[in-house]
Amino acid sequence: MLVIEYGPLDQHEPAVIVPGLLNLTSSPYLFNLTSIPQRGLKNRTFSVPAAAVVGGGTVVNGMFFDRGAAADYDAWRELGNPGWGWDDLLPYFKRVGLFNFNDHNRQNKYYHKTVSDIKVE
């Protein structure tokens, strides 16, 4: 198999080595892509970060954090994987960290901790 990647080799600078330091709005390792106007966003456009470097997305590690939908986990359980449903995994998700809403009234304490050493912002 031959894999051909586009872009330069990174120079092992801190923005590449330290997770979260890469400037996602201005980097030599990103394509300059813009979305089409989004009807649901009042026809606004936005930058679409996509790697343009040998190593791809691994090099431009943007440190995104996301949790799947409850239905996805429940489907895993229904496929014969006991312990992998949403209610089974929620206690572990809560142990990962505090999701920091700017508006603390929006923070749902059922789904997120209120005190944690790990913060997801």
Side-chain angles (χ1 to χ4, degrees):
M1 175 190 295
L2 173 65
V3 175
I4 300 175
E5 295 186 297
Y6 173 86
L9 295 169
D10 72 86
Q11 302 302 307
H12 303 289
E13 60 266 46
V16 170
I17 296 171
V18 179
L21 284 186
L22 186 68
N23 182 344
L24 292 176
T25 59
S26 173
S27 169
Y29 304 130
L30 293 172
F31 285 106
N32 183 15
L33 301 175
T34 302
S35 73
I36 61 172
Q38 299 296 305
R39 188 172 57 211
L41 297 175
K42 298 181 182 177
N43 289 322
R44 289 182 287 191
T45 61
F46 55 91
S47 174
V48 179
V53 59
V54 174
T58 302
V59 174
V60 296
N61 185 358
M63 296 297 293
F64 291 101
F65 178 90
D66 194 16
R67 187 187 292 170
D72 295 334
Y73 298 105
D74 289 343
W76 290 352
R77 184 186 57 227
E78 291 167 15
L79 288 170
N81 300 290
W84 285 91
W86 172 260
D87 290 331
D88 303 309
L89 295 172
L90 182 59
Y92 299 99
F93 293 150
K94 289 174 74 171
R95 290 173 63 181
V96 168
L98 167 67
F99 186 88
N100 187 15
F101 285 104
N102 289 332
D103 176 0
H104 291 285
N105 293 325
R106 289 182 50 214
Q107 182 170 347
N108 186 326
K109 291 164 183 60
Y110 176 76
Y111 296 109
H112 305 284
K113 290 171 63 171
T114 56
V115 178
S116 176
D117 293 333
I118 302 172
K119 294 189 177 26
V120 178
E121 300 197 34

